[in-house]
Amino acid sequence: MHRILRRQLRRALKLESIDAVEETLRRWLAEDSDAAKGPDAPQLREILRSLITSVDQSYLQLERDLDLRTRSLDISSAELFEVNTRLKSELDAQRLAADSLLAAAKRLAKNSALPLPTADQAGIRPLTEFLTRLAHDRDSAISAREQSEQRLRMALDASNLSMWDWDFGSTQIFYDRNFARFIGTKEQDATYDLGALSRRTVPADAQALSTAIRDVVLGHRPDFEVELRVRHEQGHWLWLQTFGSVTVRDPDGRARRLTGIVADISKRKQLENEIAANLKLLETVLDTMPLPVLIKDRTGQVQRANSAWDKMVSAGTAGESGHGLAVNSPVLGSVHRKFDLEVIASGQPARYEARIIAPNQREYDVLVAKAPLKLDNGEVTGIISVITDISEQKRTAGELDRARLAAEAAARAKSGFLANMSHELRTPLNGVVGMASLLETTRLDSRQARFVQTLKSSADALIAIINDILDISKIEAGKLDVATELVNVREELEHVVNLFSAQAFAKGIEIASHLAPGAPPTIQSDRLRLRQVLSNLVSNAIKFTERGAVLVSASRGRAAADTDANHIEFAVIDSGIGIAPQLQEHVFEAFAQADDSATRRFGGTGLGLAICQRLVELMGGSLGLDSAPGQGSRFYFTLPATGAESSASWSATDDVAALVVAPEAIIASALAETLASRSALALIASDGIDAVTQIESLPANLRHIQIVIDSGDDRAELESWVSAMRLAAAGRSVTVTLLLPHGCQDLPPIGIDRCIGKPVCTAALFEQGSDTGAAGATTRSRSLIGPVARKRVLIVEDNAVNQELVAAMLETVHMDYCIAVNGREGVELYEKDGNFDLVLMDCQMPVMDGFAASRRIRELEDGTRRVPIIALTGNAMEGDRDSCIAAGMDDYLPKPINLALLRDMLDRWLCPPATQSEPAAGAA
Ligand code: ADP
């Protein structure tokens, strides 16, 4: 029985002991017991027995369950203990972890703005949360730092800077990779040993750096900046500039760390050196310059003055440096200031003359040239003034001015003198020339005629000299002008040749003019000046030629290299004495003559070629010379032939041969050149035999032969040669042209088809009109009595000789005249009897001069009729003609006059072109 049941039964049965329970029960339950003697006792006993059994069973089961439970409790308790122990240790560990987390959080939170967890939050979770937030913050900080480092890196790279960092605990200095690039080592961030760095630095610079570092470390100054020369890996030197300051100090203030940057300034240094060298150069140039130079800033303050300036303004101020004194002294007056302001405002240079007074009171005339100093953007930063001391030039200019005025006065006096002299010389010469020309028209025996001729030629020579001297003085005074008019070239050539032909033929020299095929027939030029030049050259050619010929030619000139403009070349060629090469360039100088002995022989002033040279230059050409002693000379000049007519073009005839038979090569070739333009062949023969031989050998296809003969005087010989030539021509058609001697009046020789009188112009060879059987074709003379006869002339002239001369000349041409002895008388005569056809008016007269008289006559005219007034004057200077025209006169005849000149003038003014006749006598 279960003990609990037993105990419960004991207590229920109130038994003394436990053992009694069972005994009791047994007894009770026994059949023999008193209790067991009732009726129900068996059933009750059964029920009790089953109850006790079931209770017992329940207790037993309970017992087992309890046991089981106890056992399982035992087991749980051990586990619980174990777990408890483990939990406890875990808790300890957790607490430790939380402590260390807290400690870590505290440490980490030191640089964070996050609030530390409070004591009640000191659990793992809040700490972890705190740390997570801290970690997040830290990540953000790291990425910000990385970004900023990256930016720093980029900034360093871009700025070409390197950063260094030196922790004093070490002898190594950290440099970022740019430094490696500077010194040419492998490009990376690296640390460098202090000693090694120092060894590759110029010792003096290393020393300067260590002094600077020491000062900063000791706190003498906050930072340093040092420039050092550091050796590059490749051996050359770099210029580095380093800045640094203490970045960490310990609590005692001792420097712990130095940080800074370094830059490669080699290029800057190089530039600085170059700039310094340039500045040095500039300084040297400035100081070497003899001209004073000032450099000012934009306010006009002098920044720099060179030594020449110092020297100029401090001259005589012994002991003073001059520099400061000079630049601050009042010598810089308001005028300079004004120009300074102008230059600064306008940015344009300025020049002016001024006067400055040095401290020693010395005055200078200066020329100041100011220029703005500008930046690239045009901003004016200052002014440079260059001062030229022109005191000396001023003085000289003053003297020159005075000298010029004196010279001008002298020149005026000279011109006046020349004009006077010219007048004075011309007046008596007028008498000589005029009277000689009158005398020539009277009956004279041969001796008297010779005397008159000599008289005339001497007077002509005198006139030529006076004209030359006047011309050269006009040229020297720059008073010679040239006109532009239409000039007929052939007329001019012929005019000049005609003028000199008598002189040439008298000397036994041939003379001809040659208008070469292709030469422009007309040009725009100054007719009189051209004539003057050609006349001068021809006159020389004849003078310096003893035998042979003189040719005056015009041909198409070669165009200048850079233009296709037309030109004409005039040449005067002679076969005379020639000029030695060394003398050739001098003959164009005034008063120069090639050969004294020749001059003595030939005479002359040495002015002719100088005048010709200047005249040709004025006409736009230049006079040249080809010559050799004994070979003759060729003077030539080329003039522009703008607007010239084009020359007629000839067509050569295939079957015509031309032959020139002439002894003078110069003339023969001019004739041949002319003939060649219209024939298949043009030959030259020197004499009859040569001509016959050449005709015989002419090709058969040349059916016509044109022969031009310039023969001597032997008529019979000429005729026989002509017939020989015709024979040699063997049936071909032959035309023979003979150049007749000057003045030859004879009938043409037999066999001659055509005669041309000398002096010949080659262009006449093709002129039908010159064909003539009479030799007189070329002789030009004029009836002395022309349409001017019986016309009335008023002579106003004070000089008695001239009165007589002009009167005699007018009588020669059967004209009537009245004489007035001065201008007033002339005007009175005109007023009283206005029936004059022409007035010859002297210019310089007492009482009233010719100019006033002419003006008065013009005033008196009623406008229906204008009497021609011709100035008759010894004034031959430039401008005289203009003065006469301005006074109302119509024309101008400079003295000395001769009959021919006077006749020309009378014809021009008294015979209208229709009635003007100049019959060529004998033009039959
Ligand atoms: P001049 O009045 O003396 O002739 P020019 O100036 O005309 O002065 O000439 C200067 C010099 O040139 C002459 O003196 C002469 O020696 C020389 N001369 C000029 N033309 C010729 C020439 N055709 N032949 C030789 N010599 C000449």
Side-chain angles (χ1 to χ4, degrees):
M1 181 183 294
H2 192 272
R3 67 185 184 274
I4 298 171
L5 185 58
R6 236 181 294 169
R7 271 193 314 264
Q8 283 172 342
L9 287 174
R10 188 193 64 91
R11 274 188 308 261
L13 296 177
K14 294 189 187 94
L15 297 172
E16 294 252 333
S17 75
I18 287 291
D19 295 336
V21 170
E22 281 196 41
E23 191 46 43
T24 309
L25 280 177
R26 210 174 319 130
R27 249 186 315 121
W28 281 3
L29 289 173
E31 285 163 3
D32 54 350
S33 69
D34 295 348
K37 288 174 179 165
D40 295 325
Q43 199 183 348
L44 274 171
R45 267 186 320 263
E46 200 52 49
I47 290 168
L48 191 60
R49 203 179 284 130
S50 129
L51 179 73
I52 290 168
T53 304
S54 113
V55 168
D56 188 46
Q57 283 302 315
S58 295
Y59 273 113
L60 281 174
Q61 187 58 41
L62 183 72
E63 185 103 320
R64 277 196 306 271
D65 284 354
L66 199 66
D67 190 37
L68 204 65
R69 209 168 287 153
T70 305
R71 251 203 331 266
S72 79
L73 259 179
D74 281 352
I75 292 166
S76 299
S77 160
E79 277 176 353
L80 206 61
F81 181 77
E82 196 185 302
V83 166
N84 195 24
T85 312
R86 204 178 68 233
L87 278 177
K88 200 166 169 268
S89 75
E90 274 177 9
L91 197 64
D92 286 347
Q94 272 185 9
R95 198 168 290 131
L96 256 174
D99 285 350
S100 63
L101 272 177
L102 187 62
K106 277 184 180 164
R107 221 175 36 246
L108 289 171
K110 221 191 302 176
N111 296 324
S112 164
L114 282 179
L116 263 178
T118 52
D120 55 327
Q121 292 174 326
I124 294 277
R125 181 190 284 270
L127 273 174
T128 309
E129 276 172 7
F130 174 75
L131 283 173
T132 309
R133 275 174 34 222
L134 208 58
H136 179 262
D137 279 5
R138 191 183 147 89
D139 283 351
S140 310
I142 285 172
S143 97
R145 193 171 125 201
E146 273 172 7
Q147 270 184 20
S148 96
E149 270 178 6
Q150 201 177 349
R151 284 196 200 109
L152 175 69
R153 165 87 272 140
M154 278 157 54
L156 287 172
D157 284 352
S159 60
N160 210 18
L161 293 172
S162 168
M163 198 206 84
W164 57 262
D165 185 23
W166 179 20
D167 190 334
F168 285 176
S170 146
T171 57
Q172 300 285 310
I173 303 183
F174 167 83
Y175 279 92
D176 76 276
R177 63 183 184 200
N178 279 354
F179 184 70
R181 181 149 54 81
F182 295 166
I183 62 169
T185 56
K186 198 159 159 247
E187 204 169 308
Q188 59 184 11
D189 295 350
T191 53
Y192 294 82
D193 184 63
L194 255 181
L197 278 181
S198 180
R199 277 192 297 283
R200 65 193 303 160
T201 306
V202 167
D205 298 348
Q207 180 59 47
L209 177 62
S210 77
T211 309
I213 290 175
R214 201 191 58 222
D215 286 353
V216 168
V217 165
L218 293 178
H220 294 163
R221 52 176 164 144
D223 49 28
F224 67 82
E225 178 195 327
V226 175
E227 290 178 359
L228 341 139
R229 279 153 294 173
V230 175
R231 191 163 26 77
H232 188 271
E233 275 297 291
Q234 286 172 0
H236 58 270
W237 292 95
L238 301 168
W239 270 103
L240 300 180
Q241 185 181 34
T242 184
F243 306 85
S245 60
V246 173
T247 44
V248 178
R249 286 188 187 272
D250 64 16
D252 302 336
R254 275 197 300 271
R256 297 305 312 268
R257 204 161 156 188
L258 209 54
T259 309
I261 53 169
V262 60
D264 181 355
I265 57 164
S266 306
K267 276 193 189 139
R268 197 189 84 199
K269 274 284 172 186
Q270 191 187 342
L271 277 176
E272 279 175 10
N273 286 342
E274 282 169 14
I275 290 170
N278 283 341
L279 277 176
K280 183 81 200 145
L281 179 74
L282 197 67
E283 291 279 308
T284 314
V285 170
L286 271 182
D287 281 335
T288 323
M289 267 177 78
L291 297 179
V293 175
L294 291 178
I295 294 172
K296 302 180 187 176
D297 63 17
R298 1 178 345 112
T299 66
Q301 283 302 306
V302 176
Q303 301 296 311
R304 172 84 170 87
N306 72 345
S307 13
W309 168 263
D310 286 351
K311 207 165 132 199
M312 180 165 104
V313 294
S314 65
T317 52
E320 287 177 292
S321 77
H323 189 99
L325 172 76
V327 295
N328 297 318
S329 70
V331 296
L332 303 174
S334 59
V335 60
H336 303 293
R337 180 83 194 130
K338 176 178 146 267
F339 279 101
D340 282 354
L341 292 175
E342 259 181 41
V343 171
I344 288 166
S346 68
Q348 296 298 319
R351 279 168 84 88
Y352 59 94
E353 283 186 18
R355 172 158 281 226
I356 59 173
I357 304 162
N360 65 352
Q361 297 309 307
R362 183 169 164 191
E363 294 190 13
Y364 293 91
D365 285 308
V366 290
L367 174 70
V368 186
K370 290 193 160 155
L373 299 171
K374 289 184 187 174
L375 295 179
D376 282 352
N377 64 5
E379 188 195 336
V380 178
T381 55
I383 310 163
I384 180 163
S385 306
V386 179
I387 296 132
T388 312
D389 178 1
I390 53 166
S391 313
E392 192 57 31
Q393 285 103 304
K394 278 265 177 191
R395 200 180 54 71
T396 319
E399 279 168 13
L400 276 177
D401 234 27
R402 285 188 288 282
R404 184 178 54 79
L405 288 175
E408 280 173 5
R412 275 197 301 278
K414 183 179 141 194
S415 290
F417 172 76
L418 276 168
N420 274 340
M421 282 305 293
S422 160
H423 184 259
E424 293 309 312
L425 287 168
R426 276 166 201 277
T427 306
L429 259 177
N430 197 33
V432 177
V433 173
M435 288 304 183
S437 66
L438 281 178
L439 205 53
E440 216 180 7
T441 62
T442 62
R443 187 176 295 277
L444 300 171
D445 64 27
S446 62
R447 196 157 163 262
Q448 287 168 328
R450 215 169 51 250
F451 290 166
V452 172
Q453 202 51 47
T454 310
L455 195 63
K456 272 185 75 185
S457 62
S458 306
D460 285 346
L462 211 51
I463 292 166
I465 290 170
I466 293 171
N467 285 340
D468 273 2
I469 291 175
L470 274 177
D471 272 349
I472 202 82
S473 59
K474 279 186 224 166
I475 286 170
E476 279 172 2
K479 287 186 176 169
L480 207 78
D481 294 323
V482 286
T484 305
E485 58 199 316
L486 189 68
V487 176
N488 182 310
V489 177
R490 180 174 165 190
E491 263 179 33
E492 291 316 305
L493 299 183
E494 287 190 306
H495 175 90
V496 174
V497 166
N498 285 337
L499 209 63
F500 288 93
S501 58
Q503 192 185 338
F505 295 137
K507 225 179 151 182
I509 300 169
E510 290 296 339
I511 186 166
S513 56
H514 173 46
L515 183 70
T522 56
I523 55 169
Q524 289 288 337
S525 195
D526 187 323
R527 191 169 58 88
L528 287 178
R529 294 301 180 193
L530 176 64
R531 213 177 254 195
Q532 186 179 351
V533 174
L534 289 174
S535 301
N536 225 312
L537 297 177
V538 172
S539 160
N540 276 352
I542 295 171
K543 184 158 73 169
F544 297 105
T545 301
E546 292 300 335
R547 60 177 170 277
V550 171
L551 181 77
V552 188
S553 77
S555 52
R556 189 191 170 85
R558 256 167 298 155
D562 55 345
T563 151
D564 55 0
N566 284 331
H567 284 79
I568 183 166
E569 185 186 87
F570 290 93
V572 175
I573 308 158
D574 67 55
S575 58
I577 59 171
I579 304 170
Q582 69 276 16
L583 302 174
Q584 287 180 16
E585 61 184 274
H586 298 296
V587 297
F588 297 108
E589 292 162 11
F591 304 105
Q593 290 168 324
D595 177 351
D596 286 349
S597 61
T599 309
R600 277 194 297 279
R601 195 148 42 105
F602 299 112
T605 57
L607 288 175
L609 288 179
I611 294 169
C612 289
Q613 172 80 292
R614 286 310 315 274
L615 289 177
V616 169
E617 281 169 3
L618 283 170
M619 288 188 283
S622 159
L623 188 56
L625 161 66
D626 294 325
S627 183
Q631 307 279 303
S633 307
R634 178 175 184 273
F635 285 88
Y636 60 91
F637 55 95
T638 304
L639 298 182
T642 352
E645 272 178 41
S646 52
S647 51
S649 56
W650 313 107
S651 52
T653 316
D654 290 347
D655 58 352
V656 175
L659 178 67
V660 175
V661 192
E664 294 307 332
I666 298 171
I667 293 178
S669 32
L671 292 167
E673 187 190 355
T674 307
L675 292 172
S677 67
R678 296 211 205 166
S679 34
L681 186 68
L683 302 167
I684 296 176
S686 52
D687 54 23
I689 302 184
D690 189 13
V692 169
T693 319
Q694 294 209 41
I695 291 170
E696 280 169 348
S697 52
L698 279 175
N701 63 324
L702 300 174
R703 302 301 310 150
H704 306 283
I705 307 174
Q706 185 176 7
I707 304 171
V708 175
I709 303 175
D710 178 8
S711 81
D713 290 338
D714 194 334
R715 193 179 169 96
E717 190 185 9
L718 171 71
E719 285 174 353
S720 68
W721 280 122
V722 169
S723 68
M725 286 178 220
R726 285 190 182 279
L727 265 178
R732 287 181 268 207
S733 85
V734 175
T735 318
V736 182
T737 303
L738 179 65
L739 307 185
L740 274 183
H742 182 55
C744 175
Q745 302 283 332
D746 302 339
L747 282 173
I750 298 162
I752 303 296
D753 300 301
R754 185 174 170 234
C755 289
I756 301 177
K758 291 184 189 174
V760 73
C761 176
T762 53
L765 286 177
F766 299 126
E767 278 172 2
Q768 296 304 316
S770 61
D771 279 21
T772 176
T778 59
T779 312
R780 292 180 181 197
S781 70
R782 182 165 60 182
S783 162
L784 281 174
I785 309 159
V788 297
R790 301 278 70 89
K791 302 260 181 187
R792 289 190 76 224
V793 175
L794 171 60
I795 305 167
V796 189
E797 167 70 69
D798 64 322
N799 183 289
V801 175
N802 285 338
Q803 288 168 6
E804 196 187 335
L805 172 68
V806 176
M809 286 181 174
L810 295 179
E811 279 167 18
T812 314
V813 290
H814 300 271
M815 292 181 82
D816 294 336
Y817 58 87
C818 276
I819 296 175
V821 297
N822 58 48
R824 189 198 293 157
E825 207 178 301
V827 172
E828 284 167 5
L829 270 176
Y830 180 83
E831 247 182 321
K832 252 190 262 158
D833 169 11
N835 198 17
F836 290 107
D837 296 298
L838 188 137
V839 180
L840 290 172
M841 179 77 78
D842 186 19
C843 288
Q844 290 179 351
M845 289 174 291
V847 187
M848 180 187 273
D849 66 20
F851 304 109
S854 301
R855 276 194 291 274
R856 186 72 196 118
I857 290 173
R858 292 291 174 233
E859 283 165 15
L860 292 172
E861 280 172 350
D862 58 5
T864 54
R865 182 176 161 267
R866 180 185 167 100
V867 63
I869 306 177
I870 311 300
L872 205 61
T873 171
N875 294 338
M877 292 298 280
E878 187 75 13
D880 289 341
R881 183 193 170 88
D882 294 343
S883 318
C884 296
I885 303 295
M889 298 187 230
D890 296 291
D891 214 332
Y892 170 96
L893 196 57
K895 292 172 185 173
I897 52 167
N898 60 30
L899 189 54
L901 288 173
L902 181 64
R903 264 304 304 271
D904 275 345
M905 191 59 80
L906 295 173
D907 279 350
R908 188 176 313 155
W909 290 100
L910 294 176
C911 308
T915 62
Q916 197 170 331
S917 70
E918 192 173 50

